[in-house]
Structures are given as structure tokens and as C-alpha cells.
Amino acid sequence: MKFAQKYLIIVSSLVLAIFSSLGFYLVRGNPPIKNLVVSGHAHMLEFAFGAILFALALNITKISDRTQKWLAIWMSLTFFGPGALIYAGMTGNTGFLSVTGALFEGSFVVLWLILAYFVARD
């Protein structure tokens, strides 16, 4: 397994393990904006599963190992988007969400479009 796939699967697995436990807090917890925490939790799990699928799909492309590495690192940075939702819900501070949403959730979509291009091209 190449570095990019191994890196992204390990990081995503850790994110799944860590943020799955957040669900137990949400059963009884009462953060200031619970809907944001719940949304961030759901998005975090979806992003992690999506990143694992992304890592597996990278394997069928013919792009260089270096490009795969940078795409994998970029994909792991998208976890900051759902993390920002969780942080905003826990603190009640939502002012930064207009930037983090476009930057990180938008990157997730762009990365999948890039991958689709490479898969279709090869």
C-alpha cells in the first residue's frame, strides 16, 4: 500500500474512533448549540468514511505517488470543516463558519471532482 493510502486510512480511522465517542456525549450533553454539534458529528463521520473511500479510489489512478500524497494530505485537512461545526456548537461562537464551510467542506467536493477527473482520464 502506498504512503497516500496508508496515511489517509490511518488518519480517517483515528478520526472515526475519536469522534464516534462524541455521540455518547450528545445523548445527554447540552452544548450551547446542540444542532451544530450533532451536524458536525455526522459530517465528521461521513468525511472520514469518504476519505477512506477516496484513499481506495486513489489506488486505481495512474497519478504520481507525490500527487497522491498531496491529495491525501489535502483530504485529511477537510476534517477541520466538521471540526469547526463541533467547535462552534460547543462554544456558541459561529462567526468563522462562513469561512470554514467554504474552505474545508468545499475542498472535500473539489477533491472528489479531481479524483473523478483522474479516474475518467486513466
Side-chain angles (χ1 to χ4, degrees):
M1 185 176 282
K2 296 178 184 174
F3 170 82
Q5 288 84 11
K6 192 178 281 189
Y7 164 80
L8 202 47
I9 290 172
I10 289 170
V11 170
S12 299
S13 297
L14 289 172
V15 166
L16 282 169
I18 292 166
F19 285 93
S20 290
S21 64
L22 182 61
F24 295 109
Y25 164 74
L26 289 172
V27 170
R28 297 205 188 262
N30 197 16
I33 308 174
K34 188 170 186 168
N35 288 343
L36 281 179
V37 179
V38 170
S39 178
H41 173 255
H43 278 78
M44 186 68 80
L45 299 180
E46 292 165 358
F47 274 42
F49 282 119
I52 290 170
L53 183 59
F54 189 88
L56 296 173
L58 272 176
N59 207 28
I60 63 171
T61 66
K62 294 179 183 171
I63 54 179
S64 71
D65 288 348
R66 184 172 185 221
T67 302
Q68 286 187 22
K69 175 181 147 185
W70 287 111
L71 289 173
I73 291 169
W74 184 11
M75 178 58 84
S76 69
L77 292 175
T78 67
F79 294 138
F80 285 112
L85 287 173
I86 294 168
Y87 177 78
M90 295 292 246
T91 63
N93 177 10
T94 61
F96 57 89
L97 289 179
S98 62
V99 174
T100 60
L103 184 61
F104 298 112
E105 281 94 345
S107 284
F108 187 83
V109 173
V110 168
L111 280 161
W112 275 100
L113 290 172
I114 291 169
L115 182 65
Y117 167 77
F118 283 125
V119 169
R121 183 189 75 171
D122 294 340

